[in-house]
Amino acid sequence: MADKTLRILIADTQHFHRMKIERMFNALDYYRIAPVQNFTELLTLIDYGREPFDVLVTDSQLAGGMPDLHGFLFDLAQVRHALVYGEALNSSDVPGYFRPKITSCNAALPSMSAITQLMASVEASRVRSSHVRPAKSLA
């Protein structure tokens, strides 16, 4: 069952792509979606948002060919999970330490299967983190 509180950010320069991806999320019962059309808008929402985004789905070209897009996304505390599409890399090519947070696909647009797998992973990580108990204080 979809966690309807998840915040999703879709970043793509093409309106049609943003709408198609948003409809895939809607079909899975996710509706807290913010679509943006350029890197400046993406950074504005991330920098000024009070709550982190649970998921970012972005076209690899949006950042203008940033040489280390995975490193940039990995360091963003305001984004918990990311799917980067339109890359020459496959997920297995993404360095191991990025994989818990970043998924990559080389398709021009992510498929419904890719979105479903991403959200299953996000939901599972939320369940795992909610079951972790804080360490007892020694004081």
Side-chain angles (χ1 to χ4, degrees):
M1 182 170 186
D3 180 350
K4 296 182 186 234
T5 64
L6 293 177
R7 298 182 71 223
I8 300 166
L9 181 58
I10 300 171
D12 193 304
T13 57
Q14 295 187 32
H15 178 72
F16 176 73
H17 289 177
R18 291 190 308 271
M19 294 302 298
K20 187 166 180 149
I21 296 167
E22 184 171 355
R23 286 187 186 121
M24 285 188 255
F25 279 108
N26 293 161
L28 296 171
D29 290 331
Y30 297 102
Y31 298 98
R32 289 185 72 191
I33 301 169
V36 296
Q37 66 182 346
N38 59 48
F39 195 64
T40 303
E41 288 179 4
L42 178 131
L43 290 178
T44 300
L45 282 180
I46 290 171
D47 287 344
Y48 294 108
R50 290 184 296 171
E51 295 177 55
F53 283 93
D54 297 290
V55 177
L56 165 65
V57 178
T58 185
D59 177 20
S60 64
Q61 302 305 311
L62 188 82
M66 179 182 288
D68 189 17
L69 179 60
H70 291 110
F72 171 76
L73 293 174
F74 185 77
D75 287 338
L76 281 177
Q78 288 293 90
V79 173
R80 293 186 175 128
H81 301 275
L83 170 64
V84 180
Y85 60 91
E87 290 195 296
L89 296 175
N90 289 321
S91 285
S92 60
D93 297 331
V94 175
Y97 48 90
F98 290 153
R99 284 192 205 134
K101 183 173 181 176
I102 302 168
T103 305
S104 182
C105 81
N106 58 5
L109 275 176
S111 65
M112 185 62 159
S113 172
I115 297 289
T116 302
Q117 288 176 342
L118 171 69
M119 297 314 292
S121 171
V122 169
E123 298 258 2
S125 72
R126 285 177 63 94
V127 169
R128 280 191 305 271
S129 67
S130 69
H131 287 85
V132 175
R133 294 183 181 172
K136 291 183 179 180
S137 172
L138 296 177

